[in-house]
Amino acid sequence: MQPPQARQLILDLLHAPLTRAGQTPHDQLDLIDAGILDSIAFLELLSTLQDRSGTPIDLLQVDPASLTTIASLVALLTTPE
C-alpha cells in the first residue's frame, strides 16, 4: 500500500472518533494521548487496518505504543515498491 492510500484509509476509519473529539488530524497527533481512542478501540483499529489493507500486523514484532500517531500507522501499512 502506498502512503497516500494508507493515510486515507486511516483517516476514513478515524473520521467519527476525530469528529467526536473535535480534533483535526495531523501526522503527529497521538491518538491515545489526545483521547481519540482508548486501548480497546486502538486494538480494534489495528485489526481493521490489517483486514482492509491486507498488511499483516504482528504485535509481537512491533511495539503498539510506537504506533499511536497517524504517521506511524501510515509507515506500518506502507510497503516499499
Side-chain angles (χ1 to χ4, degrees):
M1 180 172 273
Q2 294 299 311
Q5 291 84 14
R7 189 173 198 284
Q8 189 58 55
L9 173 61
I10 293 162
L11 293 179
D12 288 348
L13 293 173
L14 291 174
H15 178 74
L18 285 166
T19 301
R20 275 194 301 275
Q23 292 281 341
T24 302
H26 58 85
D27 285 347
Q28 298 309 314
L29 177 64
D30 189 301
L31 302 168
I32 303 291
D33 287 347
I36 296 162
L37 300 176
D38 61 18
S39 58
I40 303 260
F42 178 71
L43 291 175
E44 289 171 350
L45 173 66
L46 291 178
S47 176
T48 302
L49 286 172
Q50 178 174 270
D51 292 345
R52 295 226 185 139
S53 71
T55 302
I57 299 172
D58 184 355
L59 294 179
L60 297 175
Q61 299 295 323
V62 178
D63 179 12
S66 70
L67 300 175
T68 60
T69 66
I70 292 171
S72 63
L73 291 170
V74 168
L76 178 70
L77 298 180
T78 302
T79 56
E81 289 273 326

